[in-house]
Amino acid sequence: MYKSKILGLGKYVPDNIVTNNDLTKYMDTNDQWIRERTGIEQRRWAVPGDGNTTATMGVKAAKIALERARLSPKDIDFIVFATLSPDYYFPGSGVLVQEMLGCDTIGALDIRNQCSGFVYALATADQFIKTGMYKNILVIGSELQSTGLDLSTRGRGVAVLFGDGAGALVLSRSNDDSDILSNHLHSEGKLAKELSVLAPGALNPPNKLVEDWDPEDLSYYPYMNGNFVFKHAVTRFPEAIMEGLNAVNLTPQDIDLLVPHQANLRISQFVQRKLNMRDEQIMNNIQKYGNTTAASIPIAMTEAWEAGRIKRGDLVVTAAFGSGFTWGSNIIRF
Ligand code: ACO
């Protein structure tokens, strides 16, 4: 079996900064509520006409990752693209990236696991490297969420949390000790509706939404049972991390950097306390970007690498929890 190595990391976020105070233009909220509950200070939201879509942001992040990996799009054998906000209902955004980057007619797989999307995507890419089927895979997480939020006071419990952006990495066949040591993936579909967008979909097609128009039916906006999600997240994050570490006989003290999905600073702090980890062992950047769902881990990993907080040989751990519910972890010898 072959080993997998992260060769290059890249990120892209839209230029437009939206502070907590800016949100008071749309809804009854305030900076203090948002900071105290979530740690978020600002987020990036694309603006009409700036050219940012889920696919184009993914391409921008991917180009940086490719450059740092010293590879060209022609060297890529496969694309794994994670998002909950694809440009179209179908086809997925992975094929759009294949075209925009000018890759050969390689396979492109979209992963629909929301906040756990990047953990699932990395685990998926790892399998293709490990079996020897592919040598260089582009793994992308990208989200344009700002266009799908209810910006009225009614939607404030969700709208203030989410941001736009993309992160990418190149996963390649390793010729040294670098490897993805373990992947653990989980789901619990009985809780699917606790964090969801139920329409439009095959059960609630657009024509039905129009014909049976009900102003009280907000199923086309994200719904989140916030407290319920929070309680599950603070259990599942540590569980997923410990499951991964136990599988390779390591402990939280061995982690050089934990890069958790940036759901809420309070969740990350809870996980840190529970695992008895030091501040420098955890990457937090939700303050600047909000929750960018499938993009949050690769954006955070890229920033950590750029700041010198990830070096070759480090033990880097990712973990995520989100809609599905889904959760999981990757244990990486960088
Ligand atoms: N500004 C001001 N007040 C608000 C806002 C806001 N933006 N949003 C809600 N409130 C009000 C509520 O209306 C409520 O008022 P009331 O008591 O008068 O009814 C009060 O604040 C408290 O609301 P709660 O929802 O109980 O607030 P809570 O402390 O639970 O925080 C939060 C909410 C931040 C959403 C929290 O539950 C959370 O972080 N949940 C988990 C988020 C998460 O991790 N999601 C997973 C990833 S998402 C994905 O996978 C796509």
Side-chain angles (χ1 to χ4, degrees):
M1 201 148 67
Y2 294 97
K3 289 186 283 185
S4 302
K5 178 174 187 168
I6 295 173
L7 273 194
L9 284 155
K11 76 165 215 295
Y12 172 82
V13 290
D15 293 334
N16 180 41
I17 297 174
V18 179
T19 65
N20 293 342
N21 277 330
D22 292 336
L23 294 177
T24 60
K25 280 186 274 186
Y26 309 106
M27 61 188 86
D28 178 13
T29 188
N30 60 78
D31 180 55
Q32 192 189 356
W33 191 98
I34 301 171
R35 273 182 204 245
E36 283 180 4
R37 298 289 209 295
T38 71
I40 299 168
E41 295 166 19
Q42 59 185 50
R43 72 285 293 139
R44 303 298 180 102
W45 281 358
V47 289
D50 69 4
N52 286 315
T53 71
T54 297
T56 62
M57 289 191 290
V59 165
K60 287 177 189 165
K63 282 185 174 166
I64 297 168
L66 280 166
E67 198 183 307
R68 288 172 173 170
R70 296 179 205 282
L71 294 175
S72 89
K74 298 284 181 202
D75 297 315
I76 295 298
D77 303 315
F78 194 58
I79 295 167
V80 185
F81 193 101
T83 190
L84 66 59
S85 51
D87 292 10
Y88 310 121
Y89 187 78
F90 74 83
S93 295
V95 299
L96 306 179
V97 168
Q98 177 271 327
E99 163 67 13
M100 288 181 208
L101 271 181
C103 297
D104 292 331
T105 53
I106 54 172
L109 173 70
D110 273 45
I111 299 266
R112 297 292 305 276
N113 288 83
Q114 301 68 250
C115 290
S116 310
F118 200 79
V119 168
Y120 271 73
L122 192 55
T124 303
D126 183 39
Q127 307 315 302
F128 285 115
I129 299 284
K130 289 240 158 66
T131 59
M133 183 159 170
Y134 297 127
K135 273 191 183 164
N136 298 307
I137 301 179
L138 204 44
V139 189
I140 302 171
S142 182
E143 304 285 1
L144 181 70
Q145 309 190 95
S146 55
T147 55
L149 300 171
D150 177 0
L151 296 186
S152 71
T153 295
R154 195 180 50 195
R156 65 184 177 174
V158 171
V160 301
L161 300 175
F162 292 98
D164 301 337
L169 61 79
V170 178
L171 193 72
S172 297
R173 189 181 288 180
S174 171
N175 50 13
D176 53 29
D177 290 338
S178 299
D179 197 9
I180 295 186
L181 306 179
S182 82
N183 301 291
H184 287 87
L185 307 174
H186 294 279
S187 71
E188 193 173 20
K190 76 173 180 211
L191 305 176
K193 290 188 180 169
E194 302 297 338
L195 178 49
S196 57
V197 178
L198 298 179
L203 290 182
N204 294 294
N207 64 328
K208 187 164 166 280
L209 286 180
V210 174
E211 279 161 23
D212 307 341
W213 178 249
D214 171 3
E216 299 300 315
D217 178 4
L218 300 175
S219 53
Y220 48 88
Y221 282 131
Y223 166 78
M224 179 171 72
N225 185 349
N227 286 307
F228 188 79
V229 170
F230 194 98
K231 282 184 195 131
H232 280 256
V234 293
T235 306
R236 295 308 191 186
F237 266 100
E239 248 178 48
I241 295 164
M242 288 312 300
E243 185 181 25
L245 289 171
N246 287 338
V248 291
N249 293 318
L250 293 170
T251 72
Q253 280 56 56
D254 295 314
I255 298 176
D256 291 297
L257 195 67
L258 173 66
V259 185
H261 162 53
Q262 308 286 304
N264 181 330
L265 191 59
R266 304 290 160 251
I267 294 176
S268 295
Q269 289 168 336
F270 188 96
V271 173
Q272 179 182 347
R273 279 197 300 276
K274 178 125 190 203
L275 299 182
N276 202 12
M277 293 175 70
R278 290 168 282 115
D279 287 352
E280 57 272 25
Q281 285 180 285
I282 305 221
M283 179 65 192
N284 292 306
N285 65 358
I286 191 170
Q287 299 91 328
K288 291 191 289 181
Y289 304 122
N291 178 342
T292 56
T293 307
S296 87
I297 288 176
I299 290 175
M301 204 185 280
T302 302
E303 283 204 350
W305 179 82
E306 287 169 348
R309 292 182 66 186
I310 298 179
K311 295 175 292 304
R312 277 284 160 234
D314 280 357
L315 188 75
V316 177
V317 173
T318 73
F321 172 84
S323 162
F325 289 161
T326 54
W327 63 99
S329 65
N330 318 105
I331 312 287
I332 304 162
R333 180 63 68 195
F334 198 83

